[in-house]
Amino acid sequence: MKSNDMGLIVKTMARTTIPLIGIFGVYIVSHGHLTPGGGFQGGATIAGAGVLLLLAFGLSEMRKRYNHKVYSVLESIGGLTFLGAAMLGFSVAFFYNTLWHNGPVLNGQPGTLLSAGYLPIMNLAVGLKVFAGLVSALAAIAAYRRWKE
Amino acid sequence: MMLPFLIVIPLFGAFSMPIVSLLGRKAREAWAVIVSLATLGVAGAVFYDIWSTKKVLVYTLGAKSPLGQGVDFPIRIVWEVDLLGAIMILIVTFVAFMAILYSIGYMKHDTGLEKYYTLILILELGMLGIVMTGDLFNFYVFLEIMSIASYALVAFRTDTWEGIEAGIKYMFVGSIASSFILLAIALLYGQYGTLTMSYLAAKMAENPTVVGKVALSLFIAGLLFKSGASPVHMWLADAHPAAPSPISAMLSGLVIKAGGTYALARILFSIYGTSVGMKTVGWVIIVFACITLIVGNAMAVIQTDIKRLLAYSSVGQIGYILLGIGIGLAAYGTNAGEIALAGAIYHTVNHALMKALLFLVAGAVIHELGTRNLNELSGIAKTMPKTTFAFLIGAAAIIGMPPLNGFASKWLIYESSAIFNPVLGAIAIIGTAFCTAAYVRVLYTFFGKPSERVMEAKDPEGSMLLPMIILVLAIIVMGLFPWQISEKIMIPAVDMLKDQVHYITAVIPNFIGGA
């Protein structure tokens, strides 16, 4: 039998670890303004879950679950959100952190989750963009062509 | 304040391109054209603002003032645009708009066009960022944005072997050049503890160090790579022919100038300014300029591939621009130096226009005939008269025929080099002789006896012809008022570029020092 996925043990382990990697990545992204890490690190971690899916279950499974258009749109939503957050305080200056200075949200006590103005938004945006970008890039490379024509 | 829109609009256009392109091909093309047209409009407003007020425009990201609270040094990223920057902004947005307009017809048969338009907008964004930034690390980031977009665009046609080969070569060479620049920035940061260009200039004037000089040599090395100066021009001669023609037009007209000669002039004049021996640095640049002039133009004569010929001609013209910058440094404060610098800036603009035109014409020829070999292109004047006429104008302008724009800028460089050192004048003339030989050869082919292959060719469609017509008109109109343009725009640009104290005080108002 010719199969391009890995064995039962690897697949079972992947089933349990993929959600854990995803949750940990989301934690890194959402606590970017409080703990080490941030958008890029968290996004790359979540993309690691995607890579594990690709490796453990093979390209055929990945093809079923990966839609190029969706990821492309997700990536551009990430970029647009970042740009939008940078434009929020445009009446003062580009990248002016108006959420932090004037509210209404994300201007809590420093050290709490809802603080730091536009930073959490930008971390989420960067995380989304990095995740979508890395997964699309790796899916495109995996699906590219075969070794020979 | 219009300045941030130069970044916001192309960035918005590029980020939203994958969403817009879900609506189909027409929407994506229209979106790219609208975005680049809007950027051109903003660029025109910014240029007019700076030109009419003669002020250095400073924009701070994140707050109203670049200075930190209670301290008198800048802590934020600033964008600082003087007249030279404004000229570059205008020419970058103009040529990018022409290239995008041209792409509609030219890239019709290619796939993956949503990536193409995203990348071309990112390329424009990177160049705009380079020319408007006043922060050294910001400069590096935009340089990388521009470089990576151009690597991807050179290798855009992945089904051709030469696209991949040129892309790999360009990427390896360009990454090494970028890492030189990053290393130089790291050294300067370690020594002076700031990345703001104007504050760095002030600190460097107070305390010139060896580290600063090492960083300068790394900057010069990296930026000469990026501008395609000899002896490190080899990536250029592969990259320009392999790229799609609108990209060649942008690479040759803009990328090697925004990321190469402009950045060199900015770093040499605005950061290092008077704190290094300008004569020595000037002569280093002059030596490379002379090699570049001769090698580029001489290699252009023997090419049989039309785009390779134009690429080598670009190397040769970069030699003129570098010669102008070099003499501007070596003869700092004299009349000759000022004229040379004005000539260099003027030639940057002129060469961007005429090389863009020539590459667009070459693209039209390739699009119609499917060959780049000059030996098979004889007699296309019969079947593609408009295209040939555009080439004639472009070639005459690049050689420096008097009624066209290339004349004035080359004249300024000849004149100043002859005053400064007659040997340099002679070298510049020899370069032009080779350049003339190369273009006359192409024209002779174009006007020759029509070959079999050429007979069923015809002029390209409207969307490809329109950018060529606009560029021809720009070249002719600019050629009619050469000295007015030189007097009203280029000389003030030189004055602002040389005024390092003003560049510093625009950011740090209470800076007092012997810069």
Side-chain angles (χ1 to χ4, degrees):
Chain A
M1 189 189 90
K2 194 167 164 261
S3 141
N4 64 353
D5 61 10
M6 297 211 177
L8 183 66
I9 298 172
V10 173
K11 281 202 277 191
T12 312
M13 286 307 287
R15 276 202 190 89
T16 47
T17 41
I18 285 174
L20 293 179
I21 296 173
I23 290 167
F24 184 59
V26 171
Y27 166 77
I28 295 176
V29 171
S30 55
H31 288 69
H33 52 300
L34 303 173
T35 56
F40 183 82
Q41 290 84 346
T45 310
I46 306 173
V51 176
L52 184 56
L53 180 101
L54 172 65
L55 287 179
F57 296 95
L59 189 57
S60 50
E61 186 69 20
M62 187 71 174
R63 282 226 171 91
K64 270 183 239 156
R65 297 182 190 275
Y66 169 83
N67 180 341
H68 175 69
K69 274 192 182 140
V70 170
Y71 275 77
S72 186
V73 168
L74 278 183
E75 194 182 349
S76 68
I77 287 174
L80 289 173
T81 313
F82 189 92
L83 189 62
M87 293 289 283
L88 277 178
F90 200 72
S91 57
V92 179
F94 194 31
F95 277 99
Y96 177 70
N97 198 343
T98 187
L99 284 182
W100 170 246
H101 291 284
N102 307 316
V105 287
L106 293 168
N107 58 344
Q109 187 70 27
T112 59
L113 195 58
L114 294 179
S115 65
Y118 61 28
L119 273 187
I121 303 175
M122 283 185 171
N123 275 329
L124 288 173
V126 172
L128 183 65
K129 193 165 169 56
V130 169
F131 159 68
L134 281 179
V135 168
S136 326
L138 284 162
I141 292 170
Y144 182 54
R145 267 185 248 149
R146 297 301 93 199
W147 292 112
K148 284 180 185 162
E149 285 293 322
Chain B
M1 194 57 135
M2 297 293 273
L3 201 57
F5 285 104
L6 285 174
I7 295 297
V8 171
I9 293 173
L11 205 55
F12 178 67
F15 280 158
S16 54
M17 187 62 81
I19 297 175
V20 171
S21 65
L22 292 178
L23 300 173
R25 179 182 195 110
K26 282 258 156 56
R28 159 197 321 154
E29 282 162 358
W31 185 236
V33 169
I34 291 168
V35 167
S36 58
L37 184 64
T39 320
L40 176 61
V42 176
V46 167
F47 175 79
Y48 182 75
D49 186 25
I50 294 174
W51 178 73
S52 55
T53 59
K54 298 275 184 296
K55 270 204 197 111
V56 179
L57 206 60
V58 176
Y59 189 86
T60 312
L61 275 78
K64 284 225 184 285
S65 158
L67 306 181
Q69 233 163 19
V71 291
D72 58 352
F73 53 82
I75 58 164
R76 300 190 171 89
I77 293 176
V78 291
W79 287 337
E80 195 168 6
V81 187
D82 66 357
L83 193 51
L84 174 60
I87 292 170
M88 291 302 294
I89 285 172
L90 192 60
I91 195 74
V92 164
T93 48
F94 179 69
V95 174
F97 176 56
M98 292 299 137
I100 288 173
L101 207 56
Y102 183 88
S103 303
I104 296 173
Y106 185 80
M107 300 299 285
K108 210 189 289 173
H109 308 296
D110 289 79
T111 54
L113 285 183
E114 82 268 24
K115 278 146 203 121
Y116 175 83
Y117 286 114
T118 310
L119 282 168
I120 203 168
L121 287 173
I122 292 280
L123 183 64
E124 184 184 1
L125 165 89
M127 287 187 286
L128 288 173
I130 288 173
V131 299
M132 62 200 265
T133 191
D135 185 275
L136 213 45
F137 194 74
N138 205 229
F139 161 74
Y140 176 74
V141 170
F142 280 121
L143 187 79
E144 279 293 84
I145 290 175
M146 179 195 84
S147 304
I148 290 170
S150 53
Y151 307 152
L153 282 167
V154 164
F156 186 73
R157 285 178 170 160
T158 47
D159 51 342
T160 60
W161 63 269
E162 54 176 359
I164 303 286
E165 190 204 354
I168 286 177
K169 192 182 254 186
Y170 184 19
M171 190 178 74
F172 275 68
V173 170
S175 313
I176 292 169
S178 300
S179 55
F180 279 5
I181 293 165
L182 185 61
L183 182 56
I185 293 171
L187 286 175
L188 283 181
Y189 184 64
Q191 179 70 33
Y192 295 105
T194 180
L195 287 168
T196 309
M197 287 185 185
S198 43
Y199 188 52
L200 187 64
K203 298 264 271 190
M204 193 130 37
E206 281 165 18
N207 175 27
T209 53
V210 181
V211 175
K213 282 180 187 154
V214 173
L216 176 64
S217 63
L218 286 167
F219 270 131
I220 291 178
L223 292 172
L224 284 181
F225 256 107
K226 294 268 171 194
S227 49
S230 245
V232 281
H233 63 281
M234 66 291 172
W235 61 267
L236 195 151
D238 281 340
H240 291 212
S245 286
I247 303 307
S248 319
M250 278 180 85
L251 282 179
S252 183
L254 306 173
V255 169
I256 54 177
K257 300 194 184 83
T261 54
Y262 166 83
L264 203 56
R266 175 62 69 216
I267 283 167
L268 289 176
F269 282 96
S270 297
I271 297 182
Y272 280 89
T274 43
S275 58
V276 289
M278 291 192 115
K279 222 175 168 79
T280 325
V281 179
W283 273 102
V284 169
I285 305 282
I286 289 172
V287 168
F288 281 111
C290 290
I291 302 171
T292 310
L293 259 176
I294 300 293
V295 170
N297 284 317
M299 289 291 281
V301 181
I302 57 169
Q303 301 302 322
T304 51
D305 177 333
I306 181 167
K307 282 180 88 178
R308 222 175 159 79
L309 186 148
L310 295 177
Y312 273 114
S313 163
S314 284
V315 176
Q317 303 301 318
I318 281 293
Y320 287 106
I321 298 169
L322 288 176
L323 186 64
I325 294 173
I327 295 175
L329 280 164
Y332 189 80
T334 65
N335 203 21
E338 186 154 323
I339 297 172
L341 215 45
I345 298 170
Y346 201 178
H347 202 58
T348 305
V349 174
N350 286 340
H351 183 245
L353 292 176
M354 51 211 187
K355 200 38 83 54
L357 172 65
L358 289 171
F359 267 115
L360 296 188
V361 169
V365 171
I366 295 161
H367 190 72
E368 290 301 317
L369 292 164
T371 177
R372 304 205 308 242
N373 193 335
L374 275 172
N375 299 328
E376 297 173 23
L377 291 176
S378 80
I380 64 167
K382 277 256 164 49
T383 47
M384 300 173 75
K386 292 179 194 131
T387 315
T388 313
F389 174 72
F391 192 89
L392 180 67
I393 296 289
I398 208 161
I399 293 163
M401 296 280 272
L404 300 169
N405 65 355
F407 169 69
S409 56
K410 279 200 170 181
W411 179 259
L412 293 174
I413 293 171
Y414 295 150
E415 192 187 1
S416 56
S417 54
I419 296 172
F420 177 66
N421 189 334
V423 178
L424 296 180
I427 290 173
I429 302 282
I430 292 170
T432 300
F434 280 131
C435 177
T436 313
Y439 283 101
V440 167
R441 209 179 120 242
V442 180
L443 284 174
Y444 195 75
T445 317
F446 277 15
F447 285 102
K449 191 166 158 290
S451 67
E452 295 267 320
R453 186 163 194 157
V454 167
M455 289 320 280
E456 62 266 40
K458 54 182 192 310
D459 273 322
E461 60 187 280
S463 69
M464 285 166 76
L465 216 47
L466 183 66
M468 292 195 240
I469 293 167
I470 296 172
L471 285 166
V472 165
L473 284 179
I475 286 173
I476 292 174
V477 170
M478 274 184 78
L480 293 178
F481 310 100
W483 309 119
Q484 285 88 334
I485 291 173
S486 163
E487 201 101 314
K488 291 243 157 61
I489 300 173
M490 305 303 162
I491 297 282
V494 171
D495 289 338
M496 283 173 86
L497 180 63
K498 284 164 74 175
D499 191 357
Q500 198 196 9
V501 175
H502 193 160
Y503 190 82
I504 294 169
T505 51
V507 174
I508 317 158
N510 51 1
F511 166 73
I512 317 147

